[in-house]
Amino acid sequence: MRDIAMKPYWRSLYCVLLVALIGAPGLEAWDQISWTGEVTAGFSTTFTCSSSCHPNCIYTWSFEGHTVNGSTLTWTPDGLDKTVELKCNVLNPETGVSSSMTSIVEIKNRVSVQLSPPNTVPSLNQPLDVVCHGAPSGDHSRLSHQVNQVVWYKNGQKVTLRENMQLLQDNLTLHFDLTLPSDAGFYLCKTYVPMVQETRVFSLGYLLSFDPWNVSIDGPDTVFPGKLSKFTCLTSCTINVDCTVRWQFRLGFPIGSYFSVHENELKWTPSIPGTFQNLTCVAENAAVGRSAEATKMVEVKGIPLSGSEAVQLSGLLAMIVGLGLLLLFQS
């Protein structure tokens, strides 16, 4: 009866806390950053910072080291970043109360570096065409003579043409007569967006590599319940430079008392004997469009849980069920 009698008190306290969280009159109760459509490299987007703050409030934007005043921000990304963090601060000069909000904005890019034809596999001592895909082409007589249609970069520096290289089709194509090991690297092209005041745009990058990728999984073929086992994904590519590594579990997630993944290392303590676990390691580079993988089937051997372990597990389940019933009764 005591618990039932105290419920109105707790509900009243809950209401008071709710009012406090929402905010008293005169304070900013809500803020938001809004915009229309996709944010695309080379094209301007207008962002609006809205708040229930009274008129004459001061709005300040912060992004990429820049500060802009006003409730709206018009910005044109250059394509070098895939996301940008926009922060808007709202200040009420009468009360001195301020609030801020942050939005992570995804930036689309219509320009990319690709091989031509698309299914080409780069090989040493072979001709190769690298294309600035999505860049404008055709008659550019309306543009200033100071504007270069396409500029190529390798590893952050402007490309210097060597004897085995040519620029074709108004610089849209970087042609290699015969590729050399020194041609490997990360390529970008810089172009402009027509009809948008000749706005510069950097493309998505492409990692040109000639090394074959080998992937294997180092670890035991047999594991035991309650015993920690370690598996390592071995790759010929440099992790987080040439490729990234991720684990897949296509026949079900590993069941056990402990499980962790850090880059190419997986640790697992299984708990169910008489089962099999499929582990797959995938090394990939999205810019190159290349991937390789290895799969290992692991058997969990051993005997079922002992009597004491089974009793402990049953007790834990009973405690969880009891807690759920208690919360249900209190509600």
Side-chain angles (χ1 to χ4, degrees), residues 15-282:
C15 292
V16 171
L17 289 174
L18 185 60
V19 171
L21 289 172
I22 294 177
L27 297 178
E28 292 77 16
W30 60 269
D31 311 280
Q32 69 174 3
I33 296 175
S34 60
W35 64 93
T36 302
E38 292 184 340
V39 180
T40 305
F43 296 85
S44 64
T45 299
T46 298
F47 302 88
T48 302
C49 184
S50 304
S51 172
S52 59
C53 177
H54 294 296
N56 302 323
C57 287
I58 300 174
Y59 295 84
T60 304
W61 294 89
S62 300
F63 69 102
E64 295 189 332
H66 303 289
T67 300
V68 178
N69 296 324
S71 60
T72 61
L73 167 68
T74 300
W75 175 60
T76 303
D78 60 10
L80 286 177
D81 297 312
K82 294 183 179 180
T83 61
V84 64
E85 180 178 293
L86 296 180
K87 182 178 181 181
C88 177
N89 185 77
V90 185
L91 172 65
N92 188 330
E94 297 179 358
T95 64
V97 177
S98 64
S99 64
S100 63
M101 70 212 81
T102 301
S103 182
I104 305 298
V105 180
E106 182 181 1
I107 301 172
K108 302 293 184 180
N109 199 334
R110 300 177 182 177
V111 185
S112 61
V113 173
Q114 301 179 7
L115 298 186
S116 179
N119 296 327
T120 300
V121 177
S123 300
L124 288 173
N125 301 316
Q126 296 293 326
L128 182 69
D129 284 339
V130 182
V131 179
C132 187
H133 183 76
S137 59
D139 182 12
H140 309 289
S141 58
R142 63 177 182 80
L143 298 175
S144 167
H145 67 279
Q146 298 177 348
V147 176
N148 293 322
Q149 181 187 356
V150 174
V151 179
W152 286 91
Y153 292 82
K154 174 189 174 184
N155 298 331
Q157 303 294 324
K158 287 186 178 181
V159 170
T160 300
L161 295 180
R162 299 197 300 270
E163 293 181 356
N164 67 319
M165 303 165 65
Q166 301 179 53
L167 287 174
L168 307 175
Q169 299 177 337
D170 294 330
N171 294 4
L172 285 173
T173 299
L174 179 61
H175 173 76
F176 297 86
D177 296 327
L178 292 176
T179 54
L180 304 174
S182 57
D183 293 326
F186 190 73
Y187 286 82
L188 292 173
C189 63
K190 182 175 69 174
T191 182
Y192 69 91
V193 176
M195 308 303 292
V196 192
Q197 298 180 352
E198 301 174 5
T199 303
R200 293 291 188 179
V201 178
F202 288 89
S203 71
L204 297 175
Y206 178 87
L207 180 62
L208 179 60
S209 175
F210 306 104
D211 297 328
W213 285 11
N214 296 314
V215 181
S216 62
I217 298 177
D218 179 50
D221 296 326
T222 302
V223 296
F224 298 89
K227 182 179 179 181
L228 179 66
S229 297
K230 175 182 174 182
F231 300 88
T232 304
C233 181
L234 303 176
T235 66
S236 59
C237 56
T238 303
I239 298 176
N240 295 329
V241 177
D242 299 326
C243 63
T244 58
V245 169
R246 56 187 173 89
W247 293 87
Q248 291 185 346
F249 313 102
R250 294 168 180 168
L251 299 180
F253 195 81
I255 299 176
S257 58
Y258 180 81
F259 178 83
S260 71
V261 169
H262 179 66
E263 293 184 350
N264 66 325
E265 185 177 274
L266 183 152
K267 294 180 179 180
W268 175 41
T269 302
S271 60
I272 303 179
T275 58
F276 291 85
Q277 179 62 51
N278 179 282
L279 303 177
T280 299
C281 172
V282 181

Side-chain angles (χ1 to χ4, degrees), residues 225-226 257 270-273 302-314:
S257 58
S271 60
I272 303 179
I303 59 175
L305 294 174
S306 64
S308 60
E309 291 174 328
V311 170
Q312 292 176 4
L313 180 59
S314 299

